[in-house]
Amino acid sequence: MYNAGKIIFGLLIFLALVTFPFYNNIGKVSAKPEPKIDTPEIQKLPENERKCVEPKDFMRGEHMQMLNDWRDSVVREDNGIYMSSQGKQFNMSLQNTCMKCHSNKKEFCDKCHNYMAVAPYCWTCHIQPKENKS
Amino acid sequence: MSMNRREFLKIAGISTIAGLGSVSLFSRLQDKTLEAAPYLQNPEAMKARRWGMVIDVSKFRDEDYKKVIEVCHRTHNVPDFKNPKDEIKWIWTDTFKHTFPGQEHEFMPQEIKERNFLLLCNHCANPACVRVCPTKATFKRQDGIVMQDMHRCIGCRFCMAACPFGARSFNYRNPREFIKEENENKEYPARMIGVVEKCTFCTERLAIGKMPACVEAAPKGGLIFGDMDDTNSEVRKALKENYTIRRKPELGTEPSVFYVIGGNGYAVVPEKS
Amino acid sequence: MLEKALTGSKKYWTWIFFLLILSGIGTFAYLKQFSYGLGITGLSRDVSWGLYIGQFTFLVGVAASGVMLVLPYYLHNFKQFGKITILGEFLAIAAVTMCILFIFVDMGQPMRIMNVMLYPTLNSVMFWDSVVLGGYLFLNLIVGWTVLGADSKGIAPPKWVKPLIYLSIAWAPSIHTVTAFLYAGIPGRHFWLTAIMAARFLASAFAGGPALLIILALIIRKFTKFDPGKEAVQTLGKIVTYFMITNVFFVGLELFTAFYSGIPGHMHPFKYLFVGLEGAHKLVPLMWASVIMAIVSLLILIFPAARKNESVLAVACAMVFLSLWIDKGFGLIIGGFVPNMFETVTEYWPTLPETLITIGVWAIGFLVLTVLYKIAISVREETAGIEIEH
């Protein structure tokens, strides 16, 4: 092999850079995010109505796709109402439906999004609820 | 099989592209198999086949215009940049000369020369902005409203070049810094930097059975809004009873906004209701 | 062949380094624009396209003009262009690269650029423009690279490349026609709404592009051992002459229609550009500079005796290029927006960051051009004296 020394040296540097995130985080414990759902608005609801649009597991995995579908349906197809799998109807609106209950963006949305290092750009346009600084 | 480095790189490159392509193709196909989601229209929603508006300028005084503009801009979180360069406006006023270029002449009544006219998106039946948009970010709804999808707009500003009515504004700067917090309408979104926006005939209000914000804020009979396909609608009555003009009709975009200039009534100060 | 761009004289590396610095400054200015928004430019609600889109339009013409070398050689067997078709093809690649960059820096939401392909919109000219430009880039890359690769080995290029060459000849006018349609199909902008727009675009492109090619050919002869050929340069000079005459003629047609008809909307943009309107006249000196350079260059070019002197020809070509750059890269766009849709006048002038970004994109374009030309010239230097057969 020509220039074996240089190539191996280069490969080592490459490996060191690629694996940086792993060894940089070794030993650091990141707490599992636990989004809070105890907002005053949710507390106000009677116990048996404290349910999201769809079951928790579905929402956890699919809320982003659902919000995408909602926005296309509202903006482009002139719809306003979502019929849930339980047969309940909801106004399709991030600001006026989702955030009315989940008025704690920092403790709800941001908790997981920060943990997963995703930065959805909802809030560049949509106005987030005012929260008490805590 | 022997292979030189060049051939190896070629094959590696092509297989990477093929791999990435098929993955995205596959995920697209999967998308299609999702069951159709149940979306409905609000039963209270206002429906029409072609929304249109008649503006009776004789009903407006400058204060009325000011109120209408302020209500619209507050309802839709329109920022105030305080300079004409970055300006964003959905509804505004201008003189006869500028509203109807080429229509003015030196002998027309002073009152008309000097009075202000209300301008907004014409929601054309044959909109040039929709024709030119490369992403369908601006499109025509079934009810005739020319709508803007802020999530899709790439900010190429082709629609601004194409609109003959100057109805469109571009977010040259971050609009959020220019909306006072106490003025924010928490029930309506703002926009982001680098997208084009304009009047939507208040689709969000029509969807829950309310008239557009400007119509509610205008003096009685000043703004008549309704279905132009319905012969019994208020708009059609207004169009039948009054001589109306449109902005630049010769361009064939078919504006859905009509102006009653006021005939004999132009000098009469309207009574406030 | 890329390795040929990695060895060069001190002058070569100084030039590369200079371009890198300029593009670095441009990139820095762009990052500013990215965070602040396009408000950092001179653009406004009334003049919503400016320098960037002007440069884009002008450079589409430069890209299309490569065909002026390719066509005579492949369709008319004009041997003198044989060795330099590659210069036209590589110029096209650099020009299309700049076009794409200028569109990118002009976008409000550049991260969403793929939306154009994700939601293909057949009724939008801009969609078609991105299709034809992408196709033209692809064709020139394949053709240029394959033919040059064959030349470097002293063999004839593969047969499959011929149909692609013919396709690229037909494709070249299409890119500029579609670009003209961006403007010529818009209702309400009197300055742009003219059936002759595409024809005028092509005439100015086939004058300005070959003018640049002549200058590049003379530079190449001066600094390298490869001579593009006296005959080739003279033929290009004739092409520049005829198309410049055509272009000026077309502009005259526009002026006649606007002013003899006396329709205010048609006259106002011309008035704004050449004498000023309602006290606004920022573009007047530039536009007259363009007119004067067009006239002087034509006076030189139409006399064969003057044209035969290569230094004089070079001066004339520089004037043609600058004249058309002002006319198309600046006046054409701004004239469409002034006066605006309310027949009022809002002026436009580029800001410093906007200018730096523009210079940066040009620097990147010249970087691409330099590297490609270095490769082509190295191949030509090595194979000097060997007859090539395409």
Side-chain angles (χ1 to χ4, degrees):
Chain A
M1 192 152 74
Y2 301 115
N3 297 327
K6 278 181 196 166
I7 290 171
I8 289 168
F9 184 64
L11 278 176
L12 282 177
I13 292 178
F14 173 73
L15 273 178
L17 286 175
V18 163
T19 52
F20 174 78
F22 297 101
Y23 61 73
N24 188 46
N25 280 318
I26 283 176
K28 286 182 197 162
V29 187
S30 286
K32 209 173 135 201
E34 273 166 30
K36 288 207 169 64
I37 48 167
D38 56 348
T39 63
E41 287 77 7
I42 296 176
Q43 298 291 336
K44 262 184 247 160
L45 293 169
E47 195 95 22
N48 57 343
E49 277 179 36
R50 279 183 206 166
K51 274 184 190 145
C52 199
V53 175
E54 293 286 353
K56 193 170 158 188
D57 283 340
F58 178 85
M59 292 310 288
R60 196 176 273 169
E62 305 291 331
H63 68 279
M64 49 301 250
Q65 187 55 47
M66 179 183 227
L67 285 170
N68 256 337
D69 294 343
W70 277 22
R71 86 177 184 197
D72 282 347
S73 188
V74 172
V75 177
R76 307 192 69 89
E77 278 140 38
D78 195 13
N79 290 319
I81 305 279
Y82 177 74
M83 174 88 84
S84 78
S85 56
Q86 270 80 43
K88 271 187 86 178
Q89 295 192 355
F90 294 91
N91 179 18
M92 287 191 281
S93 170
L94 175 65
Q95 269 169 250
N96 301 328
T97 302
C98 306
M99 303 315 282
K100 277 276 145 67
C101 284
H102 299 289
S103 58
N104 54 343
K105 174 180 168 275
K106 281 187 196 118
E107 295 295 314
F108 187 70
C109 310
D110 295 352
K111 265 275 155 73
C112 287
H113 290 164
N114 291 343
Y115 179 76
M116 300 294 290
V118 291
Y121 62 93
C122 312
W123 311 107
T124 51
C125 296
H126 289 277
I127 296 169
Q128 60 192 76
K130 291 287 154 293
E131 289 175 71
N132 300 326
K133 299 258 153 52
S134 56
Chain B
M1 191 177 87
S2 75
M3 189 194 282
N4 65 25
R5 187 172 54 186
R6 194 186 164 87
E7 277 164 2
F8 170 76
L9 287 173
K10 267 187 195 167
I11 290 168
I14 288 167
S15 38
T16 309
I17 291 167
L20 289 174
S22 57
V23 165
S24 62
L25 192 71
F26 188 65
S27 61
R28 288 221 135 193
L29 288 176
Q30 270 189 322
D31 251 15
K32 288 263 158 69
T33 61
L34 282 179
E35 56 184 299
Y39 304 122
L40 310 168
Q41 270 202 338
N42 189 322
E44 280 152 37
M46 305 247 286
K47 291 189 185 90
R49 285 176 64 193
R50 182 185 169 194
W51 287 114
M53 183 182 272
V54 171
I55 302 175
D56 185 348
V57 291
S58 67
K59 300 280 197 311
F60 283 91
R61 290 171 304 180
D62 278 353
E63 310 91 82
D64 302 321
Y65 284 141
K66 222 180 134 191
K67 185 181 156 206
V68 165
I69 294 166
E70 197 177 302
V71 165
C72 167
H73 286 180
R74 276 211 186 185
T75 307
H76 301 107
N77 295 316
V78 175
D80 181 8
F81 290 95
K82 299 207 179 349
N83 76 62
K85 184 176 160 323
D86 301 323
E87 186 181 30
I88 291 179
K89 52 190 180 189
W90 285 26
I91 187 166
W92 69 102
T93 59
D94 211 331
T95 58
F96 184 87
K97 191 179 170 191
H98 296 152
T99 309
F100 304 99
Q103 301 287 311
E104 79 286 358
H105 60 85
E106 52 184 313
F107 309 113
M108 61 197 295
Q110 202 64 21
E111 199 275 337
I112 290 188
K113 264 191 204 171
E114 284 166 7
R115 96 169 343 276
N116 275 316
F117 291 79
L118 198 60
L119 293 94
L120 69 161
C121 171
N122 275 306
H123 296 278
C124 303
N126 181 21
C129 55
V130 170
R131 201 181 314 147
V132 300
C133 179
T135 61
K136 300 187 191 86
T138 193
F139 57 95
K140 200 168 171 55
R141 306 199 323 170
Q142 296 216 314
D143 57 4
I145 292 178
V146 176
M147 184 61 175
Q148 179 85 9
D149 186 346
M150 298 304 169
H151 307 101
R152 192 183 284 190
C153 175
I154 61 172
C156 70
R157 310 192 293 298
F158 202 0
C159 55
M160 290 178 80
C163 172
F165 307 103
R168 295 176 160 268
S169 307
F170 180 70
N171 284 276
Y172 281 104
R173 301 181 61 183
N174 184 1
R176 296 297 289 274
E177 293 159 25
F178 297 86
I179 308 166
K180 285 204 194 96
E181 208 173 301
E182 67 267 24
N183 288 351
E184 271 178 357
N185 175 7
K186 308 257 182 320
E187 300 192 338
Y188 195 77
R191 266 72 56 196
M192 71 197 293
I193 202 168
V195 294
V196 176
E197 62 181 84
K198 64 165 194 76
C199 155
T200 64
F201 264 174
C202 286
T203 52
E204 84 285 5
R205 291 171 60 90
L206 295 175
I208 52 171
K210 287 186 184 166
M211 276 284 184
C214 55
V215 177
E216 265 184 16
K220 193 163 179 247
L223 296 180
I224 304 153
F225 183 80
D227 188 355
M228 310 234 303
D229 258 20
D230 175 3
T231 42
N232 296 318
S233 67
E234 289 287 311
V235 210
R236 284 294 290 272
K237 271 184 216 154
L239 288 172
K240 205 173 170 184
E241 285 162 13
N242 298 281
Y243 174 68
T244 50
I245 59 170
R246 291 188 288 180
R247 296 171 65 200
K248 304 186 183 177
E250 72 278 10
L251 298 179
T253 66
E254 295 292 335
S256 305
V257 175
F258 299 76
Y259 293 83
V260 178
I261 302 300
N264 295 327
Y266 65 84
V268 180
V269 178
E271 37 183 312
K272 270 291 240 178
S273 58
Chain C
M1 290 187 290
L2 267 175
E3 73 282 357
K4 293 189 169 66
L6 296 176
T7 53
S9 64
K10 207 166 176 185
K11 265 183 201 155
Y12 171 72
W13 285 112
T14 316
W15 173 241
I16 292 277
F17 193 64
F18 172 68
L19 291 176
L20 279 174
I21 289 176
L22 287 185
S23 48
I25 295 170
T27 310
F28 181 74
Y30 180 70
L31 290 176
K32 281 255 171 211
Q33 179 188 297
F34 190 79
S35 59
Y36 183 93
L38 278 157
I40 209 167
T41 65
L43 297 170
S44 60
R45 195 180 189 278
D46 285 330
V47 185
S48 47
W49 280 343
L51 193 56
Y52 298 151
I53 293 294
Q55 301 307 293
F56 157 78
T57 309
F58 178 74
L59 285 163
V60 175
V62 173
S65 73
V67 77
M68 282 293 113
L69 287 176
V70 180
L71 186 147
Y73 179 68
Y74 286 101
L75 296 190
H76 299 280
N77 199 22
F78 186 71
K79 292 270 189 241
Q80 278 82 356
F81 282 172
K83 283 184 184 172
I84 57 170
T85 51
I86 192 72
L87 298 185
E89 285 152 358
F90 280 179
L91 177 63
I93 293 171
V96 176
T97 308
M98 282 190 263
C99 290
I100 293 168
L101 286 173
F102 273 117
I103 288 291
F104 190 79
V105 299
D106 187 69
M107 288 173 66
Q109 281 292 328
M111 308 315 274
R112 296 183 185 167
I113 195 161
M114 288 321 286
N115 278 6
V116 179
M117 294 299 146
L118 283 175
Y119 309 105
T121 310
L122 305 188
N123 48 276
S124 172
V125 184
M126 200 169 279
F127 166 73
W128 290 109
D129 212 28
S130 62
V131 170
V132 290
L133 273 179
Y136 193 63
L137 179 63
F138 180 75
L139 279 175
N140 277 287
L141 270 173
I142 298 287
V143 170
W145 203 257
T146 312
V147 172
L148 190 69
D151 285 353
S152 73
K153 292 180 197 131
I155 55 171
K159 280 216 174 62
W160 55 261
V161 81
K162 262 286 168 60
L164 290 184
I165 291 170
Y166 294 138
L167 181 61
S168 82
I169 290 172
W171 202 286
S174 88
I175 63 169
H176 219 25
T177 305
V178 176
T179 305
F181 286 174
L182 287 175
Y183 306 101
I186 288 180
R189 300 234 177 244
H190 305 291
F191 192 57
W192 294 343
L193 191 70
T194 162
I196 210 171
M197 184 71 89
R200 202 180 136 192
F201 268 29
L202 287 169
S204 66
F206 294 153
L212 178 62
L213 277 168
I214 289 177
I215 296 168
L216 291 171
L218 295 178
I219 292 172
I220 287 169
R221 184 195 290 156
K222 188 155 191 223
F223 288 98
T224 75
K225 280 182 234 121
F226 170 59
D227 181 5
K230 235 182 164 58
E231 188 69 23
V233 167
Q234 283 303 318
T235 308
L236 274 174
K238 275 180 216 155
I239 291 174
V240 174
T241 310
Y242 281 111
F243 279 110
M244 191 61 182
I245 292 171
T246 315
N247 177 56
V248 170
F249 173 64
F250 285 169
V251 176
L253 297 182
E254 296 274 23
L255 287 169
F256 172 80
T257 301
F259 287 93
Y260 194 79
S261 72
I263 298 172
H266 290 269
M267 296 191 293
H268 285 158
F270 286 105
K271 280 190 179 162
Y272 169 68
L273 291 176
F274 291 104
V275 292
L277 195 68
E278 295 175 19
H281 39 61
K282 270 188 190 160
L283 260 63
V284 173
L286 262 184
M287 293 312 290
W288 280 104
S290 169
V291 170
I292 290 166
M293 282 191 283
I295 293 170
V296 174
S297 63
L298 269 185
L299 285 177
I300 297 172
L301 287 170
I302 52 177
F303 293 108
R307 203 166 65 212
K308 288 221 168 80
N309 181 331
E310 282 189 344
S311 331
V312 178
L313 179 66
V315 173
C317 284
M319 283 196 277
V320 166
F321 187 79
L322 279 175
S323 168
L324 295 175
W325 180 81
I326 294 170
D327 180 43
K328 210 157 143 192
F330 212 93
L332 177 96
I333 307 300
I334 312 309
F337 288 100
V338 186
N340 64 11
M341 293 306 189
F342 312 99
E343 286 289 321
T344 57
V345 175
T346 305
E347 292 213 86
Y348 159 86
W349 196 256
T351 58
L352 180 65
E354 196 177 0
T355 313
L356 292 178
I357 292 169
T358 304
I359 293 172
V361 173
W362 275 93
I364 294 171
F366 270 96
L367 205 59
V368 172
L369 187 72
T370 307
V371 167
L372 291 175
Y373 272 23
K374 176 74 173 53
I375 295 168
I377 291 161
S378 304
V379 169
R380 289 284 176 266
E381 283 174 342
E382 283 164 19
T383 57
I386 301 170
E387 196 60 37
I388 51 165
E389 189 64 52
H390 287 180

